[in-house]
Amino acid sequence: MAMIHDPISDMITRIRNALAVRATHVLVPTSRMKVGIARVLQEAGYLESVERRTKKVRASEHEYIDLVFSRDTDGKPMINDMRLISKPSRHLYAKARELRPVQSGFGIAVLSTPKGIISSRAARKEGVGGEVLFEIW
């Protein structure tokens, strides 16, 4: 198994690739941060369900999160696109009052804050800033 240097961009890439092939769900290796991100995406309506699964690969077992995409009445996924903001080479931080609507309010930004992983709407409401991980719409 290859070593992943940026687990957040790996998660976003897996989601984008699954949507590109019209998959209904995707498996993502688990971590506390990814579980937090999945919870925020589920609360925002982009994911229908989030389940922890164990997958046996050769002699070892690996923990995965099964992300099931939400779909609208036409059967199209609720996720149109995602854009990575912070990278290992450049971390972008924003104060609560600096957070702007994503795609004219149709999307959200996901932030890592002292209160945990939260959406930009929740961060503005609670008056807390943090590292802007990515935007989704």
Side-chain angles (χ1 to χ4, degrees), residues 62-134:
H62 298 281
E63 291 256 332
Y64 284 88
I65 313 168
D66 190 6
L67 308 175
V68 179
F69 304 122
S70 292
R71 300 196 175 269
D72 62 10
T73 53
D74 298 332
K76 294 179 185 168
M78 299 298 283
I79 300 172
N80 290 317
D81 203 2
M82 303 170 84
R83 182 174 61 203
L84 191 66
I85 304 296
S86 285
K87 302 172 184 172
S89 60
R90 185 202 63 180
H91 296 279
L92 185 88
Y93 296 90
K95 295 177 183 170
R97 64 180 173 273
E98 295 171 351
L99 296 171
R100 299 283 167 244
V102 176
Q103 296 289 317
S104 302
F106 287 104
I108 62 167
V110 178
L111 285 85
S112 176
T113 70
K115 294 189 177 185
I117 306 289
I118 58 175
S119 70
S120 54
R121 292 178 187 149
R124 270 195 304 268
K125 193 180 291 182
E126 293 185 29
V128 65
E131 183 180 358
V132 183
L133 300 174
F134 64 93

Side-chain angles (χ1 to χ4, degrees), residues 34-47:
K34 290 179 190 175
V35 169
I37 290 170
R39 182 187 44 78
V40 168
L41 295 180
Q42 187 176 14
E43 288 170 2
Y46 294 108
L47 296 178

Side-chain angles (χ1 to χ4, degrees), residues 1 14 16 23 28 32 37 45 47 50 54 58 78 93 123 126-127 129 134 137:
M1 185 172 231
R14 285 173 187 253
R16 268 202 213 117
V28 178
R32 279 183 25 210
I37 290 170
L47 296 178
V50 177
T54 305
R58 294 189 196 117
M78 299 298 283
Y93 296 90
E126 293 185 29
F134 64 93
W137 61 92

